[in-house]
Amino acid sequence: MPDPIAVNSMFGRIAHRYDLANRVLSGGIDTYWRSRLVDAVEYWRPRNVLDLATGSGDVAFALARKLHPSVRIFGMDFCEPMLERAETRKARRPALYSGVEFIFGDALEIPVAEATFDAVTIAFGLRNLASRPRCLAEIRRVLRPDGHLFVLEFSQPWRLVRPFYSFYLGRVVPRLAGILTGDRRAYEYLGATIDQFPEREALSAEIGEAGYGDVRESAMTMGIVALHSALRQPTVN
Ligand SMILES: C[S@@+](CC[C@H](N)C(=O)[O-])C[C@H]1O[C@@H](n2cnc3c(N)ncnc32)[C@H](O)[C@@H]1O
């Protein structure tokens, strides 16, 4: 499992070029993946949303553009340079993003009272955590009964495309990202964490074991990315 201190310092080092690297390395398709997540959230008409591991705020901003302006959106991360980048982006469009607030916090110990949010999102974050069960339990705690969890994450692609994808991840991405961000090692780490991440069905099972109901999964872009959603069921006494 990733070491949180190393993860924090790595994202701190690449924060200034994180968005550019995402767009270039994914050929821009990462914005489509996040838009699918946002559409899924919108369906449930939440009054407030917590975006965990928000990074530079891509999901939080996409939610603000799509949801009703009265919806409160909180972006949380434990990496200060990432949050600074998110604040800079927010300051460029203060009216549009007035409902978005960025907060420092650890996804393994969310500094929020229980049953606070209608929805919690985590995009490309779960893979970087030292303990997925701990994070899923924390999310469950801060969700209201009948609230929804949404996980957007890299997954294991279709078998036919795996050799090409492995080559791209292992050989092309570190070199290209090294040029873009000056930190080739960070993107070697990316490939390793994607390789070790569970298949869609296994992640659904983990979410179910963490006490959620109605767990659903959908694959995108030949299975490279998956969107999982789940319901925080009311506790039965
Ligand atoms: C790959 S980025 C994803 C950012 C954003 N969600 C996106 O869609 O681009 C992963 C983020 O997770 C954050 N992160 C990793 N572990 C964390 C933790 N324990 N608590 C809070 N944030 C964490 C990192 O600081 C980083 O900003």
Side-chain angles (χ1 to χ4, degrees):
M1 281 294 172
D3 165 26
I5 296 173
V7 168
N8 190 312
S9 105
M10 184 192 79
F11 280 108
R13 289 196 307 273
I14 62 171
H16 66 299
R17 287 291 183 90
Y18 175 75
D19 299 312
L20 173 70
N22 275 350
R23 297 300 106 81
V24 173
L25 297 172
S26 75
I29 203 165
D30 64 314
T31 53
Y32 163 72
W33 295 332
R34 290 189 191 82
S35 75
R36 288 273 307 270
L37 164 69
V38 168
D39 289 347
V41 175
E42 189 203 21
Y43 177 83
W44 296 103
R45 303 260 183 269
R47 287 157 297 172
N48 62 3
V49 185
L50 171 65
D51 180 44
L52 271 182
T54 194
S56 59
D58 263 350
V59 170
F61 294 133
L63 286 166
R65 291 192 298 269
K66 183 90 182 186
L67 302 181
H68 191 274
S70 64
V71 178
R72 302 289 313 277
I73 297 155
F74 298 86
M76 184 176 288
D77 205 284
F78 76 165
C79 177
E80 292 279 13
M82 278 292 200
L83 289 173
E84 281 161 21
R85 172 110 189 100
E87 290 290 1
T88 305
R89 294 176 75 194
K90 177 181 163 176
R92 284 189 204 133
R93 304 184 78 178
L96 182 59
Y97 298 142
S98 61
V100 181
E101 197 175 316
F102 291 105
I103 315 166
F104 180 89
D106 190 336
L108 301 184
E109 213 164 325
I110 303 172
V112 169
E114 63 185 60
T116 299
F117 295 105
D118 288 339
V120 175
T121 56
I122 180 162
F124 308 109
L126 206 55
R127 194 170 30 86
N128 294 294
L129 301 178
S131 168
R132 283 194 297 276
R134 174 88 184 260
C135 177
L136 292 171
E138 272 295 86
I139 294 174
R140 194 168 173 278
R141 182 182 66 76
V142 302
L143 272 174
R144 294 201 179 107
D146 291 324
H148 287 83
L149 157 70
F150 301 89
V151 179
L152 183 68
E153 192 47 272
F154 287 107
S155 191
Q156 303 305 331
W158 299 348
R159 274 185 207 290
L160 262 179
V161 296
R162 278 187 198 181
F164 306 101
Y165 183 59
S166 287
F167 177 79
Y168 181 67
L169 262 189
R171 299 290 178 87
V172 180
V173 165
R175 277 184 205 173
L176 197 51
I179 296 166
L180 293 170
T181 66
D183 198 328
R184 184 183 168 137
R185 277 186 47 216
Y187 287 83
E188 286 168 353
Y189 160 87
L190 173 79
T193 56
I194 292 174
D195 263 357
Q196 290 154 18
F197 201 69
E199 302 263 358
R200 280 176 292 287
E201 299 75 15
L203 183 58
S204 288
E206 275 187 33
I207 294 172
E209 279 156 24
Y212 295 83
D214 197 19
V215 184
R216 293 167 193 230
E217 64 198 41
S218 65
M220 290 182 241
T221 320
M222 296 174 285
I224 286 171
V225 162
L227 176 63
H228 286 74
S229 66
L231 172 72
R232 187 245 195 260
Q233 290 160 317
T235 315
V236 181
N237 292 314

